[in-house]
Amino acid sequence: MKIKNLTKVLGAFVLTGIMSGSVFAAESAGGVAAAFDDLVKNATAAADSAKAGDKDGCLNGAKAAKQDYKQLTGAATGKAMQDTITKLSQGKDLCSEGKVAEAAPILAEVAATLAKLRSELK
């Protein structure tokens, strides 16, 4: 298949996905609030698991939080949020390396910051 034809086919799949609603972003105020609530819940679960020394729980919570973050759009994704998500990634990486004790304070800070950002969301 030629590159030009492949590009057309891939473009059609993306357009179909968007039109069918299978590509989701939390664009309404309620959707943003719900995604943010899930983000806080999963980040807190990652922090709690790290404190307990649970590597798998830490990784699962951090991965779920990253997915929740990807659902957010607009004002909810400002500089403070981006910095916090960078720290979430650092904590996740430490957990994957087995350094759960080092990840615990980072993830606790992430969860606290996300809860604060959520409370400021209108």
Side-chain angles (χ1 to χ4, degrees):
M1 182 179 286
K2 292 183 179 180
I3 297 291
K4 189 174 183 180
N5 290 339
L6 180 63
T7 303
K8 286 181 183 179
V9 170
L10 290 175
F13 281 123
V14 170
L15 185 58
T16 302
I18 290 171
M19 291 176 67
S20 70
S22 64
V23 176
F24 170 78
E27 294 177 5
S28 69
V32 169
F36 218 126
D37 289 342
D38 289 342
L39 174 59
V40 172
K41 179 186 75 167
N42 286 317
T44 301
D48 291 345
S49 294
K51 286 177 194 172
D54 178 7
K55 177 182 173 182
D56 292 334
C58 176
L59 283 172
N60 291 336
K63 286 178 183 177
K66 291 273 288 193
Q67 286 303 113
D68 296 330
Y69 170 69
K70 291 177 183 179
Q71 302 303 314
L72 295 175
T73 60
T77 60
K79 176 78 168 117
M81 174 64 88
Q82 292 170 3
D83 292 343
T84 303
I85 296 304
T86 298
K87 286 185 179 185
L88 175 68
S89 293
Q90 292 168 350
K92 181 180 75 64
D93 291 345
L94 286 170
C95 282
S96 81
E97 294 169 6
K99 300 176 182 175
V100 182
E102 291 178 42
I106 294 170
L107 293 172
E109 179 184 349
V110 166
T113 302
L114 289 172
K116 180 180 180 278
L117 290 172
R118 173 60 181 102
S119 71
E120 295 171 355
L121 186 67
K122 295 179 182 183

